[in-house]
Amino acid sequence: MDPICPLCLRPIPEGVPQSLHHLIPKLKGGKGGPTVLVHHICHKEIHARFSEAELARQFNTPEAIRADPRMQGFLTWVAKRPPEFLSRVPKRRR
């Protein structure tokens, strides 16, 4: 059974671009800390929407990231795409 992306809740089949997201950014002391497996596109979106400080302080769980209004449009949009879908993610959008 394929793992499920904790951000978009879609499966992550073998061979699909994926990333390990540090729940506490490495630059903020999270090196060696907990990680979650996410789609590469979801990982890029996290870092386009939030600063390292925001991720360390208040968005250090998949649930907190998912609940933020800045992610709602992306999550609704990507949920309609197949798991292997890739798209360019613009740079930071804060």
Side-chain angles (χ1 to χ4, degrees):
M1 188 161 160
D2 294 328
I4 300 295
C5 177
L7 202 63
C8 70
L9 307 178
R10 297 176 302 148
I12 307 174
E14 192 174 324
V16 167
Q18 52 192 263
S19 301
L20 279 178
H21 172 64
H22 285 81
L23 294 175
I24 306 287
K26 290 188 283 186
L27 293 174
K28 297 292 181 182
K31 186 176 181 183
T35 60
V36 290
L37 184 68
V38 295
H39 290 103
H40 187 67
I41 190 172
C42 295
H43 196 209
K44 301 278 281 179
E45 191 69 24
I46 290 168
H47 289 283
R49 301 266 176 177
F50 304 107
S51 70
E52 301 284 304
E54 287 176 310
L55 288 168
R57 260 194 326 267
Q58 64 192 109
F59 298 107
N60 49 32
T61 67
E63 296 77 20
I65 294 168
R66 241 189 1 258
D68 189 79
R70 291 175 282 184
M71 290 297 292
Q72 296 307 306
F74 168 77
L75 293 173
T76 300
W77 174 79
V78 83
K80 299 173 188 165
R81 305 297 182 276
E84 63 277 359
F85 179 78
L86 279 179
S87 174
R88 291 192 57 214
V89 174
K91 294 292 180 199
R92 296 216 164 137
R93 292 184 237 174
R94 281 182 250 131

